[in-house]
Amino acid sequence: MELVVHKDDLLPELQLIQGIVERKNTIPILANVLFKAKTNDVEMRATDLEVALFSSCAAKVKKSGVVTLPAKTLFEVVRALPETNITIKQQGQNTVMVEAETTKGKKFISSMQTLPEEDFPTLAEPKTKQAVKLPGQPLREMIARTKFAITGEDTRYFLNGALFFKDASEMTMVGTDGHRLALVSMKSIKSGKSPKNPDVARVIFPKKTLQELSSLLTDNDKEISYQEEENHLFFNVGGRTLISRKVDAQFPAYERVIPKDSDKAVEFERDRLNQAIKRVALLSNERSSAVTFKISNDVVDITSSRQDVGEASEKIEVEYGGDSVQICLNAKYVLDFLSIVETDNVRLEFKNETSQAVMQPVGAEGYQYTYVIMPMRI
């Protein structure tokens, strides 16, 4: 195999592949990217056996062929080169040369060890061409508003992803780690149901799949193609294909977590609340990050304490005339919500110190967002 490719064409593809490749090297071939040189382009494939990416870029192919190269090393080499043409040339069975002109008349030359192409896993392919169209930018926003609430614990596999479903009028995504829940709904791409763009039944998008899908989506991706099959999910984004194993589990009945009887409500200026919590949380318990909201006549006193350090408090003026009440929440969970909403004001609702707290953006346009936090003991 021998090809010439420009850095500006190759680097973006290698950068996306970095999120896919297996870094722990439990199976050596998973740290490699497979190159398949054809007539006018080069295809690239990477996988960790759970998620895979298929992409390509323009290239001048002098000799077609297939090789595997260490993904991380190749990416770092290409990133360090100036904007120039790069030659990738196979020499012998186990070596590939990477060359590029760095200054006039001077070349960078390196050799990299390959692994047998037959060791590279075969990637799943969709069996049918029927696909659902999903709006790109709204989907990216939904991922951003839910992915931080997804658990990172392997033991609770059924929570290691976000629930997604779509009908003719609305798309919904839900993420939870058992301590908090993020629920976002947005309008679908079509105003009416069409056989060409059917509904999406409830399916769990794995956390890593969401992360890589978010990386693939850009402002230029008005819509993407999505397919679900027995064991895999397929996303076609801007000519690239992301392949994911399905989460074989039942997502919990999230509707039961959202309280229906909250009778205490306070609105905050988002930036004011964000800065106050950041300051007060500096003296909170490092493990729990607990801060207490003490609400009385038109004032919310946010407090924290750490036994071996001290305590902190900050008052925020609000409109509230109900009974005095307090609730203790994880500061990090609140800050995660405040960092992702764009509205000037946010709303906090709850019933008492042992009930779930609900936070929502006030005046959000184009989407509905509900964020539930389990309270902590005071």
Side-chain angles (χ1 to χ4, degrees):
M1 185 199 79
E2 183 176 355
L3 61 89
V4 178
V5 61
H6 197 275
K7 173 185 175 176
D8 290 347
D9 295 325
L10 181 59
L11 186 61
E13 309 308 318
L14 292 178
Q15 188 164 14
L16 289 170
I17 282 169
Q18 298 310 298
I20 302 290
V21 290
E22 177 62 54
R23 300 294 180 89
K24 297 178 182 178
N25 291 328
T26 52
I27 304 176
I29 193 65
L30 299 184
N32 280 27
V33 53
L34 183 140
F35 275 70
K36 185 176 182 179
K38 300 189 299 182
T39 306
N40 297 313
D41 63 13
V42 55
E43 295 179 355
M44 285 160 274
R45 303 181 184 188
T47 183
D48 66 353
L49 300 182
E50 295 296 326
V51 182
L53 181 64
F54 177 98
S55 68
S56 64
C57 72
K60 182 178 180 181
V61 178
K62 296 183 178 180
K63 185 177 181 181
S64 60
V66 181
V67 297
T68 72
L69 290 169
K72 185 174 185 296
T73 302
L74 181 62
F75 168 68
E76 291 176 344
V77 166
V78 172
R79 183 172 59 176
L81 291 170
E83 295 185 8
T84 185
N85 287 325
I86 300 168
T87 299
I88 301 175
K89 178 170 59 177
Q90 188 172 9
Q91 286 196 339
Q93 188 173 358
N94 302 316
T95 305
V96 167
M97 303 298 292
V98 178
E99 303 175 2
E101 186 174 294
T102 53
T103 56
K104 190 172 182 180
K106 303 295 182 181
K107 277 190 175 184
F108 167 84
I109 302 174
S110 69
S111 63
M112 297 184 190
Q113 297 298 306
T114 69
L115 291 173
E117 63 188 75
E118 52 269 22
D119 290 350
F120 196 86
T122 301
L123 303 186
E125 296 182 5
K127 296 177 183 178
T128 67
K129 293 185 178 180
Q130 185 177 7
V132 177
K133 299 297 183 182
L134 300 176
Q137 194 59 29
L139 183 61
R140 186 182 186 185
E141 293 173 6
M142 293 177 77
I143 293 171
R145 294 182 180 121
T146 54
K147 67 180 181 180
F148 60 83
I150 300 171
T151 187
E153 298 178 14
D154 294 335
T155 53
R156 294 193 291 178
Y157 188 61
F158 60 94
L159 295 182
N160 207 347
L163 177 69
F164 178 82
F165 54 95
K166 168 193 167 295
D167 60 22
S169 61
E170 197 171 62
M171 300 187 301
T172 300
M173 187 172 286
V174 189
T176 181
D177 60 6
H179 302 288
R180 54 178 168 170
L181 180 146
L183 164 65
V184 60
S185 297
M186 304 185 78
K187 289 186 178 180
S188 291
I189 193 170
K190 299 289 185 181
S191 57
K193 189 174 180 180
S194 166
K196 294 182 180 180
N197 196 37
D199 296 346
V200 175
R202 294 190 174 207
V203 61
I204 299 175
F205 290 172
K207 186 174 185 177
K208 183 170 181 178
T209 302
L210 291 170
Q211 291 170 339
E212 299 311 318
L213 184 57
S214 181
S215 298
L216 289 174
L217 287 165
T218 68
D219 293 339
N220 296 324
D221 296 310
K222 302 303 181 185
E223 64 178 30
I224 71 169
S225 295
Y226 162 74
Q227 289 176 261
E228 177 189 354
E229 297 198 353
E230 185 178 358
N231 298 312
H232 292 88
L233 308 173
F234 301 88
F235 304 86
N236 189 281
V237 185
R240 305 180 181 100
T241 300
L242 183 69
I243 306 167
S244 168
R245 283 189 182 273
K246 290 175 67 174
V247 175
D248 185 18
Q250 186 72 29
F251 199 82
Y254 70 89
E255 298 94 339
R256 298 177 184 174
V257 178
I258 303 173
K260 304 294 191 296
D261 57 352
S262 300
D263 58 3
K264 311 290 189 307
V266 184
E267 287 191 12
F268 297 91
E269 292 183 11
R270 178 177 58 87
D271 289 342
R272 177 74 179 91
L273 178 61
N274 186 56
Q275 294 303 319
I277 292 178
K278 283 182 177 179
R279 287 188 284 265
V280 172
L282 294 173
L283 273 77
S284 66
N285 183 285
E286 291 182 336
R287 185 175 181 181
S288 67
S289 297
V291 295
T292 301
F293 291 71
K294 298 177 180 180
I295 307 170
S296 56
N297 291 334
D298 295 335
V299 173
V300 176
D301 189 9
I302 304 173
T303 66
S304 70
S305 64
R306 195 190 313 172
Q307 188 174 7
D308 58 337
V309 177
E311 57 187 28
S313 70
E314 185 165 341
K315 289 180 171 61
I316 299 178
E317 294 183 358
V318 297
E319 291 185 8
Y320 180 80
D323 297 335
S324 296
V325 65
Q326 61 183 12
I327 189 169
C328 184
L329 301 174
N330 184 306
K332 181 182 181 301
Y333 293 173
V334 178
L335 291 173
D336 283 342
F337 167 80
L338 296 175
S339 69
I340 203 62
V341 295
E342 313 91 354
T343 57
D344 293 335
N345 297 323
V346 295
R347 182 180 178 92
L348 171 66
E349 297 180 358
F350 62 98
K351 184 176 182 179
N352 53 49
E353 64 183 37
T354 61
S355 67
Q356 300 98 312
V358 176
M359 299 194 74
Q360 294 177 313
V362 176
E365 296 182 359
Y367 68 97
Q368 294 180 324
Y369 190 25
T370 300
Y371 187 64
V372 182
I373 309 175
M374 297 301 291
M376 307 174 74
R377 291 183 179 180
I378 298 177

